[in-house]
Amino acid sequence: MRVLGVDPGLTRCGVGVVEGVAGRPLTMLGVGVVRTPADAELGLRLVAIEQGIEQWLDEHRPEFVAVERVFSQHNVRTVMGTAQASAIAMLCASRRGIPVALHTPSEVKAAVTGSGRADKAQVGAMVTRLLRLDAPPKPADAADALALAICHIWRAPAHNRLQQAVALHASKGRTA
């Protein structure tokens, strides 16, 4: 399974591609950040994020895109920018027919470190270890994008089984 993880943000949008399956060693195929100038007009920033995400999709051809679910923050302006960047990533993937999964920050932290309250340093350290890297990816947005991809690879089999069970239950209800 090849997953593009996206840690959305207007100034720094982390992107990382991981390949593998649950229970086996994972491989990082690429990591980076799509950057936009903070003083640029919002529309131009969104176009730049779209172009950056499209380049990653073209280059790496992921089977899934995992995006951090936007959660309520104290700063409405920050959450709006994050939500806008998140929507761009979802749009780019959906336009190509690539399934999109949303994972909360605590879900990602728990999957990668074992604790939903892990800090950025702990996430970076575990991403480094799990992907057998020489050093944590910088900035933290890049490491977070890889953590999203890892989380999706590890959680997708259970999620798929749950969806199949729900579909089976629903189909039995229609035939009764």
Side-chain angles (χ1 to χ4, degrees):
M1 172 185 312
R2 183 177 293 191
V3 179
L4 171 65
V6 179
D7 181 39
L10 273 180
T11 304
R12 290 183 320 271
C13 183
V15 287
V17 181
V18 177
E19 189 169 66
V21 295
R24 301 260 188 220
L26 303 172
T27 303
M28 181 188 76
L29 301 179
V31 65
V33 177
V34 177
R35 296 178 187 272
T36 68
D39 59 350
E41 190 267 319
L42 176 61
L44 296 176
R45 294 176 81 183
L46 295 174
V47 168
I49 291 169
E50 179 194 26
Q51 291 170 342
I53 297 289
E54 290 289 349
Q55 287 175 346
W56 278 83
L57 292 171
D58 285 342
E59 183 177 343
H60 294 284
R61 306 242 180 254
E63 300 165 74
F64 297 91
V65 173
V67 180
E68 183 174 273
R69 183 183 301 272
V70 177
F71 63 99
S72 177
Q73 295 174 329
H74 299 295
N75 185 339
V76 173
R77 189 173 182 172
T78 301
V79 78
M80 287 299 295
T82 302
Q84 291 163 333
S86 176
I88 294 296
M90 290 187 285
L91 173 71
C92 291
S94 296
R95 185 187 292 143
R96 293 170 181 240
I98 301 170
V100 175
L102 300 175
H103 299 283
T104 66
S106 58
E107 183 182 351
V108 173
K109 291 173 185 178
V112 174
T113 70
S115 169
R117 295 176 184 226
D119 63 24
K120 289 207 177 273
Q122 290 170 307
V123 171
M126 283 306 296
V127 164
T128 302
R129 185 174 177 191
L130 292 168
L131 296 175
R132 300 170 313 281
L133 306 175
D134 294 332
K138 300 274 188 205
D141 310 274
D144 289 348
L146 291 170
L148 275 152
I150 293 167
C151 173
H152 186 73
I153 289 169
W154 286 355
R155 295 185 69 113
H159 182 73
N160 291 342
R161 284 192 301 276
L162 181 62
Q163 284 182 320
Q164 289 168 351
V166 168
L168 179 63
H169 179 72
S171 69
K172 286 183 179 180
R174 281 182 257 153
T175 59

